[in-house]
């Protein structure tokens, strides 16, 4: 009898179990076509423990905010009104009856204000005058951590200098905060020659006997091939103790005071550029030296015209020197030649192409004066601000042993003496034989 009762009870429960199962299937079929939508407003709050982001979860038209499960940064949370005192990004999503919503991010920014300060806000566009940038988050200095933008472009500078006049708008961004904008105005420096192009003279001191000199040759070549502003620098090669040595190149070596080879000097000063077999680094050393020299004021601009050699081999160089600063000036012109062949000693073996090294460029062959500083334009050399003074000089090449005038050009340098000091190169140009170089305006990025 006991078994009969059990069987009867099981038969009575079966319709109920079937009915319950049908209801559950209907429920899942009902939500199968619905999306679970998570919305949070606003999605950017201040991390001050008060600012609030409101959370809502919808399944189709049904509000399931209170019954859905909510996750923040992969941890379950019961909050439906989100506040925090910790700055950062918080990622939320909801789940309900097997449905998973899309993820929504809420950014909580620091309660402190991001303050940008720049001092001064007006500088001279001379490549020297500096505006100093500082970014503060409350009492915390975040200058190095913050992102700084200038005219909507990222910049790494925290000390701003320029050679281009204009208005520069800065602002800072840090941890979702944006500072106020500050405008720095760069104005023309009345004490600097802004209207004339400024170049640097670099002298390669070398010799075919010098087995270490190829590294300087290759550094210079790499610089001229890879530097976007290689035209900033005019190179000449003063050979010493070899077949290309002459009175003009020896005078340069003596004036600069070269005490070892290889060497690269700047503007006839005893300032040496480091040379290295790491060619990329060598090019950077040249650029750094050029930048330093270009920050020194150019006091004059040059325009020049160069003749073809006459029947006697003489080359006439004529032009004008435009003076911005009253001082003593001289003018010097060198004839340089490319593609001169001579076997170059080379301690670097196959690292550098030997045939390339055997062809020498920028070689000083002759000059207009026995002194590298050149000749005075007027007696005593004193020229007044605002004047433009004509010059004329001759390069005699009859005994220079020129191989091919088609491979020659003339380098014209203005040298300058301030306060009675020595004469150093102030500005320099180069011109083809039979060519002309007009007074140039500066080239800016």
């Amino acid at each position: 009898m006991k078994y009969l009762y059990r069987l009867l009870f099981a038969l009575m429960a079966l319709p109920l179990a079937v009915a319950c199962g049908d209801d559950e299937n209907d429920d899942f079929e009902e939500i199968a076509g619905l999306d679970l939508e998570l919305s949070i407003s606003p999605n950017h709050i201040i991390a001050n423990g008060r600012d609030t982001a409101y959370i809502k979860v919808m399944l189709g038209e049904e509000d399931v905010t209170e019954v859905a499960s909510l996750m923040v940064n992969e941890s379950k949370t019961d909050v439906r009104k989100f506040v925090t005192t910790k700055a950062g990004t918080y990622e939320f999503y909801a789940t309900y009856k097997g449905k998973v919503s899309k993820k929504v991010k809420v950014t909580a920014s620091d309660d402190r204000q991001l303050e940008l300060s720049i001092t001064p806000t007006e500088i001279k566009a001379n490549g020297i005058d500096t505006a100093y940038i500082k970014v503060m988050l409350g009492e915390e200095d975040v200058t190095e951590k913050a992102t700084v933008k200038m005219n909507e472009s990222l910049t790494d500078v925290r000390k701003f200098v320029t050679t281009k006049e204009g208005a520069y708008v800065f602002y800072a961004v840090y941890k979702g905060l944006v500072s106020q904008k500050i405008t720095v105005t760069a104005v023309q420096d009345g004490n600097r020659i802004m209207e004339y192009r400024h170049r640097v003279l670099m002298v390669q001191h070398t010799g075919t006997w010098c087995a270490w000199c190829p590294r300087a040759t290759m550094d210079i070549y790499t610089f001229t091939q890879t530097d976007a502003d290689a035209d900033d620098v005019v190179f000449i090669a003063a050979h010493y103790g070899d077949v290309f040595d002459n009175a003009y190149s020896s005078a340069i070596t003596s004036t600069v005071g070269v005490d070892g080879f290889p060497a690269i000097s700047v503007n006839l000063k005893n300032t040496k550029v480091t040379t290295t077999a790491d060619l990329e680094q060598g090019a950077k050393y040249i650029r750094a030296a050029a930048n330093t020299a270009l920050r020194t004021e150019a006091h004059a601009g040059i325009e020049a015209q160069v003749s073809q050699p006459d029947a006697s081999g003489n080359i006439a160089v004529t032009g004008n020197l435009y003076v911005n600063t009253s001082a003593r000036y001289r003018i010097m012109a060198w004839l340089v030649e490319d593609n001169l062949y001579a076997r170059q000693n080379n301690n670097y073996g196959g690292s550098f192409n030997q045939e390339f090294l055997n062809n020498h460029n920028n070689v000083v062959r002759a000059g207009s004066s026995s002194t590298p500083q050149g000749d005075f334009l007027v007696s005593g050399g004193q020229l007044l601000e605002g004047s433009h003074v004509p010059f004329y000089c001759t390069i005699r090449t009859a005994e220079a042993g020129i191989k091919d005038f088609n491979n020659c050009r003339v380098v014209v340098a203005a040298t300058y003496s301030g306060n009675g000091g020595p004469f150093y190169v102030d500005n320099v140009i180069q011109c083809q034989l039979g060519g002309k170089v007009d007074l140039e305006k500066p080239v800016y990025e």
Side-chain angles (χ1 to χ4, degrees), residues 9 65 86 106 179 182 198 249 280 318 365 376 379 412:
F9 178 79
T65 304
K86 185 177 180 181
V106 175
S179 76
I182 295 178
H198 187 193
S249 59
E280 183 177 346
T318 59
R365 304 291 269 160
F376 290 128
S379 179
V412 182

Side-chain angles (χ1 to χ4, degrees), residues 197 200 202 223 227-233 235 273 280-294 445:
R197 177 70 186 270
V200 179
M202 289 196 185
F223 172 81
D227 192 280
D229 297 310
D231 191 42
D232 285 345
V233 183
F235 291 98
V273 180
E280 183 177 346
Q281 185 60 51
K284 290 180 180 178
Y285 287 141
I286 293 173
R287 167 47 57 193
N291 287 344
T292 299
L294 289 169
E445 293 183 358

